[in-house]
Structure formats: structure tokens, C-alpha cells
Amino acid sequence: NAGVTQTPKFQVLKTGQSMTLQCAQDMNHNSMYWYRQDPGMGLRLIYYSASEGTTDKGEVPNGYNVSRLNKREFSLRLESAAPSQTSVYFCASSEPGHRDGIVYFGPGTRLTVT
Amino acid sequence: QKEVEQNSGPLSVPEGAIASLNCTYSDRVSQSFFWYRQYSGKSPELIMSIYSNGDKEDGRFTAQLNKASQYVSLLIRDSQPSDSATYLCAVKREAAGNKLTFGGGTRVLVKP
């Protein structure tokens, strides 16, 4: 099993450009997440999806949109990138319920906005 | 006050010693607690979970939970250079819709 996969691994954008980060998991998990990680800030939740067809805002949703395309795939879109969105983005998945704190992370996307 | 707080470190320990990491949390009704390890340039991976007061041991790792004092700690016994990483404390908080809230992480450096 590949676990959680993300594309691309690296990306450089100019301010105002848009892009979509792709994520897929093959563990048949219902819950999927997008986090961003900035130095000293830990991981902050951007959006999550408890199941196919549902999405909810996390701690820092402004400037982002998401799509839960099916049970496997959860994409994150930046409509108009800003330098403040320079970060490392992690997609993750988990089983719901008692074990939903056990989160499996993808390898990350390192995004720089100039 | 951050919901989950950790000393950023670095925590420098000699090889073979015990590394002691602490984490405090503000949401008293939190029920589930996790430690994730993150190597430089890599993604976090779960190493311990703890749900009730007391100690939980797994190999060289021991997690300790004290809900009354609202802290959770991680001990790494017989520290190895391969333990050099950032350790993230995570708390499942009802106020956050039962989603995980992460601390900023403690960087551990094990010196041979």
C-alpha cells in the first residue's frame, strides 16, 4: 500500500497565481485532512472531510478551498496565492471515532509564493 | 495561551541518556493524547497514544498523562542518535470538533 500520496512535492508560485494540491489515500479511510506547517507553529488544520461529500473548515481556512472528489481523493486549491501561504502542506487521513487521533500523513508539498 | 504548548528546544541529550519532553494543554475536557515524531524534511509519524491517566510504555518510549494537571510527557530511554527529531504533541479537543490540535514541537538532539 502506498498510504497517503501527494503531488507535487515542490512548487513555486508567483503572487496571484492559482494551483491545486492533490492527495490520495489507499487505506479506505473516511476522514481526510489538510494541514500546513510553519516554523515554530506546529501543524495547523486548514480543512477536513469526515466522509465523502462533506468538508468543513479548520483553524486556518482563509484563502483555500477543498474538494473531496471521492473516498480516496481530497484536493486543496489556492485561488490567488499570497506570500503568507508559503508553507509545507500535509495531507492526512484517519479512521473516524476513537482512533481518529491516529493520523497518517503524506510526504508533504513544499510551496513557496514569491 | 496556546491550546497545546511545548518547549521548542533544542533538547540536547547524550547518547544512552533519558530524554524527557513535556506538553501542556488548556482544554480540560480533552480525552486523547498523541506523540508524533518528525524527522527533518519528512512527515510526522505516530509513536505513542495515551487515553487514561498514568504511564504507557512501548519499547524505549513511555508516555505519561496527568489530566488533573493538564500535561502529558514523553520519556525516551537509552536515547540513540536516530531519535534526533522533532516531537509533536497532539491533543484531541472537543472544542475543535474532536480534531487534533498540535503543539509547536520539541526538537531533540542526541549526541554520540
Side-chain angles (χ1 to χ4, degrees), chain B residues 51-79:
Chain B
Y51 304 101
S52 55
N53 279 329
D55 295 359
K56 179 181 178 182
E57 188 175 314
D58 184 358
R60 295 186 296 110
F61 297 100
T62 299
Q64 300 173 316
L65 175 60
N66 184 323
K67 290 186 179 180
S69 300
Q70 294 177 237
Y71 81 79
V72 56
S73 61
L74 179 71
L75 301 178
I76 308 173
R77 290 184 302 281
D78 188 23
S79 295

Side-chain angles (χ1 to χ4, degrees), chain A residues 6-80:
Chain A
Q6 292 181 236
T7 56
K9 285 187 168 55
F10 300 93
Q11 184 71 49
V12 178
L13 291 178
K14 294 188 188 313
T15 297
Q17 288 185 317
S18 62
M19 77 163 296
T20 300
L21 281 64
Q22 305 288 353
C23 173
Q25 53 92 9
D26 62 3
M27 294 175 282
N28 203 36
H29 287 162
N30 282 304
S31 301
M32 296 187 73
Y33 312 84
W34 277 104
Y35 289 91
R36 61 177 289 174
Q37 186 173 38
D38 303 294
M41 300 289 288
L43 288 155
R44 292 183 292 170
L45 183 63
I46 305 170
Y47 270 94
Y48 65 95
S49 171
S51 62
E52 183 179 351
T54 67
T55 61
D56 285 291
K57 295 178 180 179
E59 184 183 354
V60 288
N62 291 346
Y64 306 95
N65 284 302
V66 291
S67 295
R68 183 73 181 269
L69 305 171
N70 48 55
K71 190 172 184 178
R72 289 186 63 249
E73 298 173 286
F74 188 38
S75 63
L76 178 72
R77 182 161 178 83
L78 286 71
E79 290 292 351
S80 178

